[in-house]
Amino acid sequence: MAAATLSEEDLLCPQCSDIYCLPVVLQCGHNICRVCLQKFWEWKGCRECPVCQAVSVFGRPPINLALKIAADNYQVQRTNRNQEVCILHNEKLKIFCQNDEEPICLVCQTSRQHRVHECCPVDEAAQQKKTEISVKVESLRKKLRMLSKTKEQWEETKNYIKTQADQNEKAIKEEFEKLHLFLLEEENTRLKVLKQEEEIKTQVMCEKLELIKSQIKSLSSIISDIETALRARDLPFLQDYKQTKKRVKCNIQDPECIRDILINSSKHLGLLKFGIWKKMAKIVKYVPVTLDPNTAQSNLKFSEELTCVQYSSKQLLPDNPERCTSRVCVLGATSFISGKHSWTVDVGQGRDWYIGVAQESIKRKSTVFLEPAEGFWVIGLCNGDSFWAQTSPRTKLMLKQKPERITVELDCDKGKVVFINAADLTPIHTFKDRFTERIYPYMSPGLLEKGGNSNPLTICPMDITVDVE
């Protein structure tokens, strides 16, 4: 056997579990130290193999010379490693080869293998490589901090899902109490759907949290091991440098952006009564647009069926990707990509508001101008007396009377957004553009008015007629 073909496990005696010392080979083919074999035979009282119990005939088992040489060489190499000397030349390892990234002796440096390589003293190389690894460790620490921060945000999101589910459950129950006992079956069905969504999305967040916990644990372990390596003496550090360098190359990905993870409130609360309009046609109200609270700034509150919004006290809400944080506004739950659509907004006596449409890709976390170039087609009232169309630059609207209800007509195919006074059907302003992505209703109520009250914006219900044939 050649020593190069044997591992340390191959060189262990099956009896004493140490490196072979004068290994002999039995007739069954198993090897064992000669001293170990003699002791075993004396204890056993017969000449059987300690491994397979096969009995050997009389005679002295021969020494396995190849295995003895391999074991002796391994012992020498292990001794040399412990003594920090070159296993080839038995010289101290004083030089570090930059090309092969390993310590070598002075004889190795002049050999054919390393003659043209870039080399430097061990202490100089250790300082350089430790600095290099330290820089990479700092990058790992930054990633660890980012993962930890994301974990905290996801913990908050998971808790908020429960809070949101509880709020929706309460709202659903209140609505069904108004629809009398014969709607109990419908109520239970909707609650079941809500519960299923809560469980699924909570499970998703639990899995995501388990993943990020695993990443944090793994990254922490890597950093701890590397920091231990950095505290080691120069030569042991350089001997393990390749393995340390591999560990630094951590491929843990950045945390993903989890979209659409919050409870779909518009699904459970939007148009709740209209969902059973065939049973309760006389009391059902239908609005063409409902609002999506998952896109709302944290100072906004909504009516039960998500058709009315107004400014209120600040709420603790997760900063999910869909939420608008740069402006006090909310988007509709329904988007449009083609066709004609319209809805009427009751702006009441508010002194400041904006209504209209916005495209899906608007910047929701940073401040931008309300203009078509940024994806907004809106009009608004400022200080209770100045109406403006948010063009670039903005256009002042001269109106004969202050409208209380404004109809928004959207024609996606022709690229038009028309604002009409619902009281007398007088046109207020028309935007003409080209829509290349989904369009959402946009509403921004004013801040607190004098006296501490906020004027709400309400999407007006449409008349419903039911024909039975």
Side-chain angles (χ1 to χ4, degrees):
M1 297 181 192
T5 64
L6 297 177
S7 64
E8 181 178 352
E9 185 178 354
D10 297 325
L11 300 176
L12 296 179
C13 172
Q15 186 67 14
C16 65
S17 299
D18 202 353
I19 302 299
Y20 283 114
C21 179
L22 282 179
V24 295
V25 58
L26 301 178
Q27 290 179 341
C28 59
H30 290 112
N31 297 287
I32 189 169
C33 295
R34 185 165 68 182
V35 175
C36 294
L37 181 63
Q38 290 174 350
K39 290 181 179 179
F40 179 77
W41 281 356
E42 290 175 2
W43 173 79
K44 192 72 175 177
C46 63
R47 297 167 60 89
E48 70 176 30
C49 174
V51 179
C52 65
Q53 287 75 51
V55 178
S56 299
V57 298
F58 290 96
R60 178 180 295 179
I63 294 177
N64 188 335
L65 186 58
L67 185 58
K68 177 183 181 302
I69 294 174
D72 291 345
N73 288 339
Y74 182 80
Q75 288 282 27
V76 172
Q77 292 177 9
R78 185 163 67 175
T79 301
N80 288 340
R81 284 198 298 269
N82 293 336
Q83 294 177 350
E84 299 180 351
V85 297
C86 177
I87 62 176
L88 298 177
H89 308 110
N90 201 30
E91 295 285 338
K92 287 188 177 181
L93 301 172
K94 296 182 177 181
I95 305 297
F96 182 76
C97 176
Q98 298 282 14
N99 297 71
D100 294 334
E101 296 184 332
E102 62 182 8
I104 60 176
C105 69
L106 291 172
V107 180
C108 288
Q109 185 182 14
T110 59
S111 67
R112 179 180 300 177
Q113 180 182 357
H114 298 282
R115 187 180 303 159
V116 297
H117 289 179
E118 180 182 352
C119 300
C120 65
V122 161
D123 54 351
E124 179 182 328
Q127 186 62 35
Q128 175 189 350
K129 297 304 180 184
K130 284 185 177 182
T131 301
E132 174 187 321
I133 293 297
S134 296
V135 172
K136 295 180 179 179
V137 169
E138 182 57 33
S139 175
L140 295 180
R141 289 195 185 100
K142 289 181 180 179
K143 179 167 285 191
L144 177 61
R145 289 193 292 269
M146 180 178 62
L147 290 173
S148 299
K149 183 178 180 181
T150 303
K151 171 182 168 292
E152 293 178 2
Q153 293 174 343
W154 286 2
E155 290 279 9
E156 293 175 359
T157 299
K158 188 187 79 169
N159 295 333
Y160 182 71
I161 288 174
K162 176 61 177 174
T163 301
Q164 203 178 18
D166 292 341
Q167 293 172 345
N168 288 342
E169 182 175 355
K170 178 181 178 181
I172 290 174
K173 288 183 176 181
E174 290 176 354
E175 284 297 316
F176 275 94
E177 287 175 1
K178 301 174 185 178
L179 300 179
H180 306 296
L181 295 179
F182 72 93
L183 294 177
L184 182 61
E185 181 178 357
E186 178 73 10
E187 178 185 11
N188 291 336
T189 300
R190 288 177 178 266
L191 290 175
K192 182 179 179 180
V193 172
L194 171 62
K195 201 66 178 179
Q196 288 176 341
E197 181 177 0
E198 177 194 357
E199 291 173 355
I200 291 173
K201 292 188 174 180
T202 301
Q203 179 63 31
V204 170
M205 287 307 305
C206 287
E207 292 174 358
K208 298 295 184 184
L209 285 166
E210 285 301 317
L211 175 60
I212 201 170
K213 288 177 182 177
S214 174
Q215 292 176 324
I216 290 174
K217 181 178 179 182
S218 175
L219 193 54
S220 298
S221 176
I222 292 173
I223 293 175
S224 177
D225 292 346
I226 294 174
E227 289 175 339
T228 300
L230 290 173
R231 291 193 294 270
R233 290 182 299 113
D234 292 347
L235 193 53
F237 167 77
L238 293 174
Q239 289 174 326
D240 295 332
Y241 172 72
K242 290 182 180 180
Q243 186 64 28
T244 303
K245 184 178 179 181
K246 290 180 181 179
R247 298 209 70 187
V248 170
K249 294 179 180 179
C250 176
N251 293 325
I252 296 179
Q253 297 181 349
D254 295 342
E256 63 179 296
C257 182
I258 307 178
R259 297 184 177 278
D260 300 321
I261 189 61
L262 300 182
I263 296 296
N264 191 345
S265 300
S266 59
K267 170 185 174 182
H268 299 292
L269 302 180
L271 306 180
L272 179 60
K273 293 178 181 177
F274 187 72
I276 52 171
W277 65 276
K278 289 184 179 179
K279 299 179 181 178
M280 306 295 292
K282 293 183 180 180
I283 62 172
V284 161
K285 294 180 180 179
Y286 170 73
V287 293
V289 168
T290 56
L291 304 175
D292 185 357
N294 291 343
T295 68
Q297 194 268 351
S298 57
N299 283 94
L300 298 181
K301 70 175 183 178
F302 301 87
S303 63
E304 290 177 343
E305 292 196 341
L306 308 177
T307 59
C308 179
V309 60
Q310 67 182 123
Y311 188 86
S312 182
S313 57
K314 189 176 182 63
Q315 307 170 71
L316 293 177
L317 303 175
D319 188 16
N320 50 296
E322 301 87 356
R323 193 173 306 283
C324 299
T325 57
S326 61
R327 289 185 176 274
V328 182
C329 65
V330 62
L331 301 181
T334 304
S335 63
F336 309 108
I337 193 66
S338 62
K340 296 180 179 180
H341 312 274
S342 68
W343 56 95
T344 300
V345 181
D346 188 338
V347 298
Q349 298 298 320
R351 294 177 52 83
D352 294 277
W353 48 259
Y354 289 100
I355 63 172
V357 299
Q359 64 186 18
E360 187 174 25
S361 63
I362 59 171
K363 295 179 180 179
R364 308 186 185 203
K365 310 298 181 183
S366 57
T367 302
V368 294
F369 291 106
L370 285 177
E371 59 183 32
E374 298 291 349
F376 298 90
W377 295 268
V378 301
I379 66 170
L381 174 65
C382 298
N383 300 320
D385 56 6
S386 300
F387 289 91
W388 298 89
Q390 295 301 118
T391 54
S392 181
R394 64 178 185 168
T395 303
K396 188 169 185 178
L397 304 176
M398 307 305 296
L399 305 180
K400 294 181 179 180
Q401 60 179 5
K402 183 178 179 180
E404 294 188 5
R405 291 190 175 190
I406 298 176
T407 298
V408 182
E409 293 186 349
L410 169 66
D411 190 332
C412 296
D413 302 324
K414 293 184 177 181
K416 293 175 61 177
V417 184
V418 182
F419 296 88
I420 301 172
N421 186 339
D424 57 9
L425 303 181
T426 303
I428 298 175
H429 185 75
T430 300
F431 286 96
K432 293 183 179 181
D433 213 322
R434 182 173 177 268
F435 302 135
T436 58
E437 55 184 271
R438 291 192 172 276
I439 301 297
Y440 288 82
Y442 177 93
M443 295 175 63
S444 176
L447 306 182
L448 293 178
E449 307 283 354
K450 294 181 179 179
N453 296 319
S454 170
N455 188 74
L457 296 179
T458 304
I459 301 173
C460 300
M462 300 178 67
D463 294 332
I464 297 175
T465 59
V466 179
D467 295 329
V468 179
E469 296 182 359

